[in-house]
Amino acid sequence: MGKILDGKGLSDKILNKLADSILENNYSPTLAVILVGNNPASEVYVSVKEKACNKIGIKSVVYKFDENTEESVILNQIRELNENKDIDGILVQLPLPKHIDKFKVIETISPQKDVDGFTLYNFGRVALGLKPHCYPCTPKGILTLLDEYKIQIEGKNVVVVGRSDIVGKPLANIFLKRNATVTICHSKTKNLAEITNRADILVAAIGCPKFITAEMVKDGAILIDVGISRVDGKLSGDIDFDEVFDKVAYITPVPKGIGPMTIASLMENTLELYKSHNH
Ligand code: NDP
């Protein structure tokens, strides 16, 4: 299984290190999580984040709001958390109900507490190749995993399929900063397979199970599967893992790949914010 980029293994290692550091230094970081409505996937994600916090000694406080909560109530809650010196990071679980303006909500988070790196300030700094208060968790987790395996990025052709604000766009900018030649693809891209076939490193962040097939992948490529979909009760990534496996140099599995790395990055970000605040 030498081809597997073991996100779960590295994530466990990072979490253990963070736990040791929190214990040894008597740190007391706190993460505030805002959850609006009853989206079952969001509830699962929030509970996974809470568990990780509990495991390593980060205090997590979940603020749950009813689906019909007015936008102003959420904004006021965030303003209060911005002012609260006991809170180090603020995370708003997406998606939000339709009547709430996602951008307004995110922009209300203080950039110094923006643990997901979604505010314009932090997003903009990443776009400019500058260090933000926090990098967005999934892109950060991907780079941490590639670096752990000493995979060279400079000069490589990187193709990112998916241009979301939370994965594809910031990830492409981070690869660019690391001197890769980056192509971003999306649902209107023509001749997608031709482009993905040129990728030394191919990232799939689409949300379509097994979308990337063997004929879309170059021999010896490195494949990063961000997608998480549930098919017949089982988790599936965006890459047809079994079909591409023999062709690739490295690949991340789903589950146990980028998902755990995202959580590890969130924990790292929370601790970094804690250290940057005056406690
Ligand atoms: P979005 O739905 O926000 O974006 C999906 C992107 O994929 C869009 O840019 C879209 O193009 C593109 N796309 C959709 N269909 C195609 C297609 N047929 N060909 C090419 N591009 C296509 O998704 P997210 O970035 O939020 O998430 C993507 C996946 O990653 C999901 O499965 C999600 O659950 C998972 N995820 C996993 C995380 C983890 O920790 N492992 C973290 C975050 C997300 P267009 O812009 O043109 O619509």
Side-chain angles (χ1 to χ4, degrees), residues 10-75:
L10 179 56
S11 167
D12 286 346
K13 228 164 82 181
I14 292 171
L15 294 181
N16 285 334
K17 241 167 112 176
L18 293 176
D20 288 347
S21 163
I22 290 170
L23 193 66
E24 279 163 21
N25 295 289
N26 220 359
Y27 291 148
S28 53
T30 304
L31 175 66
V33 177
I34 295 181
L35 175 62
V36 189
N38 307 307
N39 179 327
S42 292
E43 284 179 348
V44 171
Y45 290 136
V46 167
S47 109
V48 168
K49 290 168 188 176
E50 263 189 292
K51 268 194 205 133
C53 284
N54 292 338
K55 194 170 153 191
I56 69 166
I58 291 178
K59 186 176 170 198
S60 72
V61 191
V62 180
Y63 296 82
K64 276 192 109 172
F65 293 93
D66 186 81
E67 179 82 24
N68 303 315
T69 306
E70 277 183 40
E71 183 183 273
S72 61
V73 174
I74 309 295
L75 299 182

Side-chain angles (χ1 to χ4, degrees), residues 143-184:
L143 270 294
T144 304
L145 188 59
L146 290 172
D147 288 341
E148 172 76 9
Y149 283 81
K150 304 200 166 26
I151 289 167
Q152 198 198 326
I153 291 167
E154 182 163 321
K156 292 287 172 72
N157 280 330
V158 174
V159 174
V160 179
V161 190
R163 57 173 163 181
S164 72
D165 296 341
I166 64 170
V167 185
K169 280 179 198 153
L171 180 62
N173 279 301
I174 296 170
F175 274 125
L176 194 58
K177 170 73 179 167
R178 296 282 299 265
N179 294 323
T181 302
V182 184
T183 308
I184 308 176

Side-chain angles (χ1 to χ4, degrees), residues 124-142:
R125 287 192 66 91
V126 172
L128 290 172
L130 301 171
K131 200 173 175 303
H133 291 292
C134 287
Y135 285 95
C137 299
T138 302
K140 175 174 173 157
I142 292 170

Side-chain angles (χ1 to χ4, degrees), residues 138 161-164 166-167 186-187 205-207 211 226-228 258-259 262:
T138 302
V161 190
R163 57 173 163 181
S164 72
I166 64 170
V167 185
H186 47 78
S187 67
I206 315 165
F211 182 84
V226 178
I228 305 176
I258 300 306
T262 298

Side-chain angles (χ1 to χ4, degrees), residues 215-231:
E215 69 269 13
M216 298 173 82
V217 173
K218 182 168 95 167
D219 279 334
I222 294 159
L223 266 53
I224 304 292
D225 196 346
V226 178
I228 305 176
S229 308
R230 201 167 271 282
V231 182

